[in-house]
Amino acid sequence: MRTYIGGHQAVSATDFVELALGTPVELWLGVEGENEMERVARLDAARDILADNPSLPDDVSRIAAEAIEAYAPELFNVVPLVRPAVRRTRSRKGAAA
């Protein structure tokens, strides 16, 4: 099964997230080994995107909830655990006859 978002094929989970959000995941999460200047530039770009699209956090939450609901329904199948019956032994506290 192929997944397309806006005419682009999502090959991996990262592709799916990037296409759904319209921005690369690394913009929000950063990359390992980035220097301070790269970090400042990344955060500045993220602030600009949020300023231009203030509903983005709500959209992300909605997309995540829809993905969880569609692709992982077993996460919500909660079954109460049954406690094993506790056996109590009778104590014999009397004197032997």
Side-chain angles (χ1 to χ4, degrees):
M1 185 170 115
R2 295 181 183 177
T3 303
Y4 289 90
I5 299 174
H8 299 281
Q9 183 179 1
V11 179
S12 66
T14 302
D15 287 345
F16 180 82
V17 172
E18 287 182 7
L19 290 169
L21 296 177
T23 61
V25 175
E26 292 82 12
L27 176 68
W28 307 105
L29 303 178
V31 292
E32 192 172 329
E34 72 181 357
N35 63 37
E36 186 62 27
M37 192 167 26
E38 292 169 332
R39 181 179 178 276
V40 169
R42 177 178 57 80
L43 293 176
D44 188 44
R47 275 191 289 279
D48 288 345
I49 290 171
L50 288 174
D52 291 343
N53 188 1
S55 68
L56 184 63
D58 293 334
D59 294 342
V60 170
S61 298
R62 182 183 46 76
I63 290 167
E66 288 173 0
I68 290 170
E69 185 178 10
Y71 296 107
E74 62 274 3
L75 291 176
F76 298 108
N77 290 338
V78 179
V79 178
L81 297 176
V82 179
R83 290 185 172 188
V86 178
R87 289 188 170 178
R88 294 186 182 182
T89 57
R90 290 181 140 172
S91 64
R92 298 181 185 190
K93 292 186 179 181

